[in-house]
């Protein structure tokens, strides 16, 4: 038997519910190993087929979804027709989420971890492989980031694809330059302020009071709502695309450094993002 491996097959950009942290944005790199006999091409499986079959299976099953620990007593499911409607009681406060069913993945676990998600993925991967592949291993890992980073959750109501879902997220590095020089203090300040944050658009607020913010909008997939403690929300005047996030940060930092150019390189998950500059 021979083992074939593919590192960074894809990245799962998702959000999950956690008792201690609340609503968490995450980006997990997916690595896979396949074990089997060599075929008539002297391969376990052609790399093109690995990417086509397995990447599609992973992306369809877990990417851009809200992952919910199905056995956690803190998760209360509410009957609401075809919608996925739940209330989650975390240490930071109650989180209420309503969406089309496709936006939520309920996993048979007490806690969402990389290992629990990998276990949930395994039968989906086996189902798309030929019988000659006898063994499958999947691992989820975080990108190694030496500097500052933050976890954020958002939704893009104007997006035609899965980004429209109101609670998906990313683990993202941040780089800030003042007149071309990296400023790690500013980077860590943003990362600290945006630790496990929901980045919402002001126009999507339908209720705000008693320490809570409720967002709602209707997109192509259907109607979405999310209610969060305001302590874990920051608001943008624009959509929460990474382009707008980079611009929001640059404009917010510029007045603190009059006459100097602020450049923000904001990432959206792994190895992608946007750059914005501002000067006060």
């Amino acid at each position: 038997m021979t083992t074939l491996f593919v590192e960074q097959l894809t990245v799962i950009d998702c959000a999950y519910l956690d008792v201690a942290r609340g609503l968490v944005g995450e980006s997990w790199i997916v690595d896979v190993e396949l074990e089997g006999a060599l075929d008539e091409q002297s391969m376990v499986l052609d790399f093109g087929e690995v990417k086509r079959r397995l990447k599609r299976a992973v992306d369809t099953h877990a990417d851009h979804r809200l992952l919910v620990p199905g056995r956690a007593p803190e998760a209360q499911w509410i009957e609401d027709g075809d919608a996925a409607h739940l209330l989650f009681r975390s240490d930071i406060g109650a989180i209420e989420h309503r969406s089309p069913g496709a936006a939520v993945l309920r996993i048979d676990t007490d806690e969402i971890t990389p290992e629990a998600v990998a276990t949930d993925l395994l039968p989906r991967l086996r189902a798309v492989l030929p019988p000659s592949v006898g063994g499958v291993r999947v691992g989820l890992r975080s990108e190694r980031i030496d500097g500052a980073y933050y976890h954020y959750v958002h939704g893009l109501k104007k997006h035609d694809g899965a980004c429209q879902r109101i609670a998906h997220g990313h683990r993202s590095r941040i780089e800030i330059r003042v007149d071309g020089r990296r400023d790690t203090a500013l980077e860590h300040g943003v990362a600290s302020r945006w630790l496990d944050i929901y980045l919402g658009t002001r126009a999507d607020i339908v209720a705000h009071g008693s320490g809570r913010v409720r967002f709602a909008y209707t997109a192509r997939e259907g109607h979405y709502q999310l209610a969060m403690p305001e302590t874990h929300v920051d608001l943008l005047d624009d959509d929460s695309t990474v382009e707008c996030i980079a611009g929001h940060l640059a404009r917010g930092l510029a007045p603190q450094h009059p006459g100097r150019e602020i450049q923000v390189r904001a990432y959206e998950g792994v190895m992608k993002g946007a750059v914005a500059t501002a000067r006060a």
Side-chain angles (χ1 to χ4, degrees), residues 160-258:
D160 286 335
C163 291
Q164 69 188 264
R165 295 167 181 171
I166 201 167
H168 74 278
H170 312 273
R171 175 183 181 265
S172 301
R173 72 170 71 204
I174 180 75
E175 296 177 5
I176 300 173
R177 289 175 170 81
V178 179
D179 286 342
R181 299 185 64 178
R182 283 280 297 272
D183 191 318
T184 57
L186 287 181
E187 294 169 359
H188 284 284
V190 169
S192 176
R193 179 161 53 92
W194 277 3
L195 179 67
D196 295 341
I197 198 75
Y198 185 81
L199 297 181
T201 300
R202 293 184 192 278
D204 297 332
I205 296 174
V206 295
H208 190 180
S210 301
R212 293 179 61 75
V213 186
R214 181 178 294 272
F215 301 92
Y217 57 74
T218 299
R220 183 179 58 83
E221 284 187 341
H223 184 69
Y224 291 89
Q225 286 194 36
L226 179 70
M228 290 276 300
E230 64 180 2
T231 53
H232 285 68
V233 171
D234 203 357
L235 298 174
L236 280 69
D237 293 325
D238 304 310
D239 296 318
S240 57
T241 62
V242 71
E243 295 91 339
C244 292
I245 290 171
H248 172 82
L249 289 172
R251 291 190 299 273
L253 292 170
Q256 304 172 27
H257 305 272

Side-chain angles (χ1 to χ4, degrees), residues 60 89 144 276:
T60 301
R89 301 193 181 279
R144 179 176 176 179

Side-chain angles (χ1 to χ4, degrees), residues 26-39:
E26 190 57 86
S27 297
W28 281 313
I29 298 168
V30 181
D31 303 320
V32 297
E33 293 184 357
L34 308 179
E35 190 175 78
L38 301 185
D39 61 16

Side-chain angles (χ1 to χ4, degrees), residues 22-75:
L23 183 63
V24 183
E26 190 57 86
S27 297
W28 281 313
I29 298 168
V30 181
D31 303 320
V32 297
E33 293 184 357
L34 308 179
E35 190 175 78
L38 301 185
D39 61 16
E40 65 278 2
Q41 302 179 85
S42 299
M43 300 176 178
V44 174
L45 188 64
D46 181 83
F47 280 122
E49 283 296 296
V50 173
K51 293 176 182 179
R52 183 180 69 84
R53 298 183 188 208
L54 298 189
K55 184 179 186 304
R56 181 184 300 168
V58 172
D59 291 347
T60 301
H61 186 64
D63 191 43
H64 282 72
R65 300 179 83 177
L66 174 63
L67 311 186
V68 181
R71 296 204 307 260
E74 293 82 5

